[in-house]
Amino acid sequence: MVEEISMNVDDAIEYVRNNVKVGDTLEISYNRIFAPGEVLSVLEEDEETGEGVRVNLQLNGEILNQAVEIDFNEIYDDLLEMNHITEDKEVIIEIDF
């Protein structure tokens, strides 16, 4: 089942915080970057360092197959779309500006 929803960046980050789990697939489009991968961890904000919600992904790909950490504070203004894929469904989140 595919569900398409539209939300602002703050709501999208809140969606990640509440719904994305280890083992899910998360495809993040921001600026000119497309980062699809398996979620390794979701980390809460760190007020001491100023980091936002962070997602660690094991990138899917034949050429690039590495783990990356994406800080949503750093990509806040550039976030375009996310696809959250679980065993049960796919949620496509389009970002409103």
Side-chain angles (χ1 to χ4, degrees), residues 23-42:
D24 293 351
T25 298
L26 189 63
E27 301 172 346
I28 304 173
S29 296
Y30 61 99
N31 199 349
R32 294 184 176 164
I33 297 171
F34 176 68
E38 180 181 340
V39 177
L40 300 175
S41 66
V42 178

Side-chain angles (χ1 to χ4, degrees), residues 4-13 29 75-82 92-97:
E4 292 186 35
I5 54 178
S6 184
M7 57 181 65
N8 64 34
V9 176
D10 291 320
D11 291 339
I13 293 170
S29 296
I75 66 168
Y76 187 92
D77 293 329
D78 299 321
L79 188 60
L80 303 171
E81 183 178 283
M82 291 189 298
I92 300 171
I93 301 169
E94 294 182 12
I95 304 301
D96 288 335
F97 293 100

Side-chain angles (χ1 to χ4, degrees), residues 17-73:
R17 180 183 293 117
N18 295 326
N19 297 291
V20 175
K21 307 292 182 224
V22 172
D24 293 351
T25 298
L26 189 63
E27 301 172 346
I28 304 173
S29 296
Y30 61 99
N31 199 349
R32 294 184 176 164
I33 297 171
F34 176 68
E38 180 181 340
V39 177
L40 300 175
S41 66
V42 178
L43 305 169
E44 292 293 326
E45 296 94 344
D46 187 341
E47 292 182 21
E48 197 170 295
T49 63
E51 294 173 318
V53 171
R54 290 157 286 146
V55 175
N56 287 303
L57 296 175
Q58 179 70 45
L59 295 178
N60 300 336
E62 295 178 20
I63 297 173
L64 289 177
N65 190 15
Q66 62 186 19
V68 296
E69 181 175 272
I70 297 176
D71 183 338
F72 282 94
N73 275 357

